[in-house]
Amino acid sequence: MTLSNSAPSTPTAEPTSKALLTASQLNKTVQIGEQRLSIIKDVSIHVDAGEFVVIMGKSGSGKSTLLGLLAALDYPDSGTVKLGENTLSDLDEDALAAIRQSDMGFVFQSFHLLPTLTVAENIAFPLDIARRSDTARVDELIASVDLSHRRDSLPNQLSGGEQQRTAVARALVSQPKIVFADEPTGNLDEHNADQVMRLLLDLRQQTGSALVVVTHDPALAEMADRVITMHDGVIDGSATNE
Ligand SMILES: Nc1ncnc2c1ncn2[C@@H]1O[C@H](COP(=O)(O)OP(=O)(O)O)[C@@H](O)[C@H]1O
Ligand SMILES: [Mg+2]
């Protein structure tokens, strides 16, 4: 999808004009005892608008750290992340929070639902904090993730699959430009994993959001536009699927 056009339709277009997110030369170190360990090393990566990118790699290779940096949930020691026109490290906390609310969605392996809010309230939460309300959209999403009968349940009354379906609906409720998912099916059995991924991909199709998923699932990698492989804090492969 990304590199298949041999003849650009507009000769003046920049090669990077489709890039929604551009990370340049990211570095991240952590202090472990006496040692400072480099866990992300000069990583540069871009994600185009609407693109579906899968990140693979062994446990400990830096996938979650990289995702956290791309989503500005964590700060790099050096390097920049640009989303659209905004360089995230230049923004103050309020501006960053506003961009997270309007432009980004997140799905985590361990669901991260708010325990005192119902399914409907969890899904509506990103709209609430942006002081928006869209009951029709929330209801539509609850139906799409097949949780209409669970609307008023609390997270601890739900199965893992139901919790993650709630999290997927929440991630997409504000029609974000980009959704980050870190091993979203890692805590689910095969049936629930398939269902959650299908919903994530269906909803992404509807919203046109770009999607960056860390996963070990080769079937998912086959569906991606591009697969990036990490090894020991560096990107050691990037392949574009036809
Ligand atoms: N806050 C931290 N303190 C110390 N070490 C960390 C921290 N975060 C990550 N690491 C280390 O950095 C490496 C990359 O971690 P991570 O990004 O979680 O990898 P992955 O998601 O690919 O399993 C691992 O060796 C991990 O132990
Ligand atoms: Mg991880």
Side-chain angles (χ1 to χ4, degrees):
M1 194 169 169
T2 20
L3 297 172
S4 53
N5 284 346
S6 50
S9 50
T10 47
T12 52
E14 299 281 335
T16 57
S17 63
K18 286 190 304 176
L20 166 69
L21 179 133
T22 310
S24 306
Q25 298 199 289
L26 295 177
N27 283 284
K28 179 79 185 174
T29 59
V30 289
Q31 189 77 33
I32 300 175
E34 306 274 274
Q35 277 195 319
R36 186 151 277 279
L37 206 68
S38 198
I39 56 174
I40 295 290
K41 304 163 191 165
D42 269 333
V43 167
S44 297
I45 181 179
H46 72 276
V47 180
D48 289 340
E51 194 181 16
F52 172 23
V53 175
V54 153
I55 301 178
M56 301 188 93
K58 286 195 190 130
S59 176
S61 58
K63 305 179 299 296
S64 294
T65 307
L66 177 62
L67 212 62
L69 295 175
L70 297 181
L73 296 169
D74 191 8
Y75 294 101
D77 293 5
S78 63
T80 55
V81 178
K82 249 183 110 174
L83 182 66
E85 290 308 303
N86 293 299
T87 299
L88 300 181
S89 49
D90 290 349
L91 302 176
D92 63 26
E93 264 308 316
D94 288 347
L96 200 51
I99 285 187
R100 276 202 210 97
Q101 281 162 30
S102 62
D103 294 351
M104 297 181 185
F106 309 93
V107 182
F108 301 95
Q109 180 171 354
S110 49
F111 321 133
H112 287 215
L113 296 175
L114 292 158
T116 59
L117 301 186
T118 64
V119 165
E121 288 165 348
N122 263 287
I123 294 173
F125 188 71
L127 300 177
D128 286 346
I129 51 180
R131 296 202 182 79
R132 285 164 54 203
S133 166
D134 190 343
T135 315
R137 168 93 184 136
V138 172
D139 284 342
E140 179 197 5
L141 274 167
I142 292 177
S144 351
V145 297
D146 200 15
L147 286 174
S148 300
H149 59 300
R150 291 298 206 177
R151 192 172 205 298
D152 300 316
S153 301
L154 293 171
N156 68 8
Q157 299 168 318
L158 304 176
S159 71
E162 289 170 335
Q163 289 186 58
Q164 198 63 311
R165 274 145 55 201
T166 305
V168 165
R170 178 181 61 179
L172 284 136
V173 71
S174 4
Q175 315 211 327
K177 292 192 178 120
I178 187 161
V179 174
F180 300 96
D182 193 354
E183 303 197 33
T185 60
N187 281 340
L188 303 178
D189 62 31
E190 202 179 323
H191 169 75
N192 280 298
D194 284 352
Q195 191 182 21
V196 160
M197 269 326 300
R198 209 157 7 87
L199 287 168
L200 190 53
L201 294 175
D202 283 356
L203 292 176
R204 169 218 169 219
Q205 194 98 43
Q206 288 166 26
T207 57
S209 303
L211 178 59
V212 183
V213 181
V214 171
T215 182
H216 296 288
D217 183 352
L220 201 53
E222 269 181 36
M223 287 190 261
D225 296 319
R226 194 149 49 95
V227 180
I228 288 168
T229 314
M230 290 200 71
H231 177 78
D232 203 12
V234 302
I235 290 177
D236 76 354
S238 174
T240 303
N241 286 334
E242 285 304 312

